[in-house]
Amino acid sequence: MKQDIKELCKSLRLAYVADVYEQIPFETPEQYLYGLLQEEIRLREKARAIRLIKKAKFLDKKSLHDYEWTEQLRFPPHLTKEDLCSLQFIENRENVVLVGSPGTGKTHLEPLPK
């Protein structure tokens, strides 16, 4: 039966459903289907992000965690390093623009996973 499910998922191009369908908690059939499809979308988006990062061919992978914070970096009065690292600006629907000379690592920054 599991092999049949995998084949059906492959035919429908549901790349992740066959791997996660047993892990989805539910109380109703609708809740199960909704959770299953949400997980498919989440895993597709995660794979897409990984694929796009590979395609970008960044030389080095950097994150906010290991970024070299120097005195040359200046923040607006209302923003601190901790504010930037918390990613609260995303929930607040605010923009952050990184400005600086070439080679300072702006492009390579990526947020820490939650």
Side-chain angles (χ1 to χ4, degrees):
M1 182 67 138
K2 286 187 179 187
Q3 189 60 35
D4 294 335
I5 291 172
K6 285 187 180 221
E7 290 299 319
L8 288 171
C9 288
K10 187 176 179 180
S11 296
L12 293 169
R13 293 188 172 104
L14 297 172
Y16 305 100
V17 168
D19 297 331
V20 298
Y21 75 93
E22 294 176 314
Q23 303 165 10
I24 305 297
F26 69 96
E27 292 177 12
T28 65
E30 292 85 6
Q31 185 183 22
Y32 175 74
L33 185 57
Y34 183 75
L36 186 62
L37 295 175
Q38 270 190 321
E39 188 66 8
E40 173 74 18
I41 289 172
R42 186 187 72 78
L43 291 170
R44 282 183 184 195
E45 289 173 354
K46 182 179 176 182
R48 180 176 182 261
I50 292 168
R51 188 174 59 254
L52 290 174
I53 288 171
K54 283 183 182 178
K55 185 178 180 181
K57 297 182 183 177
F58 292 127
L59 298 176
D60 295 318
K61 182 177 179 181
K62 296 187 180 189
S63 70
L64 291 173
H65 179 66
D66 59 2
Y67 189 75
E68 292 180 25
W69 300 94
T70 65
E71 292 84 34
Q72 296 173 334
L73 296 172
R74 293 189 180 92
F75 294 97
H78 66 280
L79 186 69
T80 66
K81 171 187 162 187
E82 290 75 24
D83 294 334
L84 182 65
C85 291
S86 74
L87 305 178
Q88 188 63 39
F89 65 91
I90 296 172
E91 292 180 23
N92 296 341
R93 297 181 179 182
E94 299 172 337
N95 295 321
V96 172
V97 179
L98 303 175
V99 180
S101 302
T104 56
K106 299 177 301 294
T107 304
H108 295 277
L109 284 176
E110 70 178 54
L112 294 172
K114 287 189 174 185

